[in-house]
Amino acid sequence: MTGVLSGCGLGGGSGEVTLKLVAADYGDSPANSSKKYWADLVDAYEARHPDVHVEVSVYSWTEVDRRVRRLVDAGKAPDMAQIGAYADYAAEDRLYRAGDVLSIPVQADFVPQLSQAGEVDGVQYGMPFAASTRLLFYNKTLFKKAGLKPPTTWAELAADAAALKDEGVTYPYALPLGPEEAQAETLQWLLSGGGGYTSTVGGYGLDAAENIETFTWLKDELVGKGLTGPVAPGKLNRAAAFAAFADGRVGMLNGHPSLMKTAEEKGVEFGMVPMPGKDGAARNALGVADWMAAFKQNGHGEQIGDFLDFVYGEKNVLAFSREYDLLPVTTSASGTMATAAGDQDLKPFLDELPLAELYPVGRTSWATVSAALKKQIGTAVLPDASPALVLGELQTRAMTADTSTSG
């Protein structure tokens, strides 16, 4: 899906500049497509800056990263791209540093967790554009029928899932380790077990003892006992799990803010709690961010910076976040959202952000590692699988990717 939202064109003026932005579509229908958000924002900007025109091409998330890579490889890089990863372009010296384009107050306003995740070797290239965290959603009707309360530990989660299974619930706990977004579900569980994707020394640590223990528990205590539903976790995608929750067929699953609206529209009564940890609430939640990158090829750094300063104004950040049930990426907008009566449904997710851990997107190898995780991690919970072996193979691939991209 592509659309161009443009101003009146160059018009022959020698001082006029046209900026090209490639953006992702966060909408789920034509009515709330991101095209409309960008059209309104560009109109407002161009009204104040008649010599700068902004052309925005909007693509679905399934193709936006590929489109940008194709443009870059063809020598036709856009001025800005709002995409899922930036580190490979930074490594190729194609990007402006955030500090080279943004004003100091705007760059300083980013949520610290997100600013740090946007760095490569201590320099920020990725500018966070949208963020979300995860909470454990549970179906209140199913829990009430089974006489349950939401879990705070792994043992309680497994016990609740067993009780839900006895009540005939299709997916007592939905575990989407399919190729759509397995890297998210995986990291949420690793964090709840005290592990993660990287080690304390800065490299990948996929086969750390804590991670092996987490996946062994999942394999034995949830999947092996039939508590994750009729579809093998490695074949269950997030979208299908969310749809099943909205249909009332899931007892528990990890979800992000957009699931609230979907469930409410289907009349599902749900609650949300922090992800249970091995022995109590997990220390860290999963955080996810999407990124704005500014390309140097066309030499429009000054105009890019002025436009992005406008984009990251509190009013615009809040408008985008509220339209798509996402978290603001700036401290000022986050403060407003935390106290606004109309935003209280997002506050539990907002509360998780300061302690959230994000994917290691600052590593140029992350795209390769993420693709391997999506393809392979679901096999770690198969009946005859060895979680240690699967995680060990993924660690080897990660180290190889790290070496090849940094060499």
Side-chain angles (χ1 to χ4, degrees):
M1 178 163 50
T2 176
V4 177
L5 318 175
S6 62
C8 52
L10 287 174
S14 60
E16 297 189 14
V17 170
T18 295
L19 298 177
K20 294 187 177 181
L21 164 64
V22 177
D25 197 344
Y26 288 80
D28 55 13
S29 69
N32 71 343
S33 169
S34 295
K35 293 179 186 179
K36 184 178 186 303
Y37 172 81
W38 286 111
D40 292 343
L41 189 147
V42 167
D43 284 347
Y45 180 78
E46 291 181 345
R48 303 183 193 180
H49 303 81
D51 291 335
V52 179
H53 310 290
V54 186
E55 295 181 357
V56 185
S57 301
V58 179
Y59 299 98
S60 71
W61 267 112
T62 59
E63 59 177 326
V64 65
D65 288 271
R66 185 173 65 250
R67 291 269 188 170
V68 172
R69 173 47 75 181
R70 192 179 302 162
L71 287 169
V72 171
D73 289 347
K76 299 178 180 179
D79 296 286
M80 296 162 284
Q82 188 263 302
I83 46 183
Y86 61 85
D88 49 347
Y89 297 120
E92 296 164 6
D93 194 29
R94 298 182 184 274
L95 302 181
Y96 286 109
R97 300 180 179 198
D100 291 339
V101 289
L102 297 176
S103 66
I104 292 173
V106 169
Q107 186 180 10
D109 196 29
F110 287 133
V111 174
Q113 229 84 354
L114 304 178
S115 284
Q116 293 166 13
E119 295 178 354
V120 176
D121 296 329
V123 177
Q124 185 180 0
Y125 292 92
M127 294 166 274
F129 187 78
S132 68
T133 55
R134 300 291 197 270
L135 291 171
L136 183 74
F137 281 66
Y138 65 97
N139 184 310
K140 284 187 172 181
T141 302
L142 298 178
F143 265 62
K144 184 177 180 180
K145 183 179 178 183
L148 303 174
K149 60 182 181 180
T152 60
T153 65
W154 285 1
E156 291 176 3
L157 186 150
D160 286 353
L164 291 166
K165 181 184 179 182
D166 290 344
E167 291 288 335
V169 176
T170 307
Y171 293 90
Y173 178 87
L175 183 66
L177 295 178
E180 179 192 355
E181 204 189 35
Q183 81 282 6
E185 184 74 11
T186 298
L187 183 53
Q188 181 65 79
W189 275 100
L190 296 185
L191 292 171
S192 74
Y197 283 147
T198 55
S199 67
T200 54
V201 295
Y204 287 104
L206 295 169
D207 60 349
E210 297 90 344
N211 296 342
I212 293 172
E213 183 179 354
T214 294
F215 263 81
T216 300
W217 187 88
L218 283 172
K219 174 180 177 290
D220 295 343
E221 301 301 324
L222 286 188
V223 182
K225 293 183 178 179
L227 302 180
T228 55
V231 179
K235 296 186 181 300
L236 181 65
N237 280 326
R238 184 205 62 182
F242 279 20
F245 186 85
D247 288 338
R249 296 185 294 126
V250 174
M252 297 173 279
L253 86 171
N254 282 313
H256 54 60
S258 70
L259 182 56
M260 294 188 297
K261 184 182 294 183
T262 306
E264 286 167 356
E265 289 173 350
K266 290 291 192 75
V268 173
E269 290 190 29
F270 61 89
M272 303 177 298
V273 295
M275 176 67 181
K278 181 180 176 183
D279 300 309
R283 292 197 308 269
N284 300 97
L286 166 66
V288 178
D290 303 322
W291 305 95
M292 181 72 76
F295 287 85
K296 296 193 293 187
Q297 180 178 318
N298 304 314
H300 294 152
E302 182 179 347
Q303 293 85 0
I304 290 170
D306 190 68
F307 177 65
L308 290 180
D309 278 357
F310 180 75
V311 168
Y312 285 110
E314 182 178 332
K315 175 184 175 183
N316 294 325
V317 171
L318 282 170
F320 181 85
S321 301
R322 287 165 172 162
E323 175 65 30
Y324 299 109
D325 288 324
L326 292 164
L327 303 182
V329 296
T330 62
T331 301
S332 58
S334 296
T336 298
M337 178 174 279
T339 57
D343 294 323
Q344 290 309 293
D345 55 342
L346 286 170
K347 192 173 186 304
F349 296 94
L350 199 61
D351 290 342
E352 295 286 297
L353 191 56
L355 294 176
E357 183 165 325
L358 285 79
Y359 305 135
V361 289
R363 309 183 76 89
T364 54
S365 56
W366 170 242
T368 300
V369 175
S370 177
L373 278 161
K374 291 178 182 180
K375 183 178 181 180
Q376 196 173 352
I377 194 63
T379 65
V381 294
L382 289 173
D384 297 326
S386 164
L389 182 61
V390 173
L391 289 168
E393 291 173 349
L394 285 167
Q395 173 67 10
T396 299
R397 294 189 66 176
M399 293 173 66
T400 301
D402 227 15
T403 301
S404 63
T405 55
S406 61

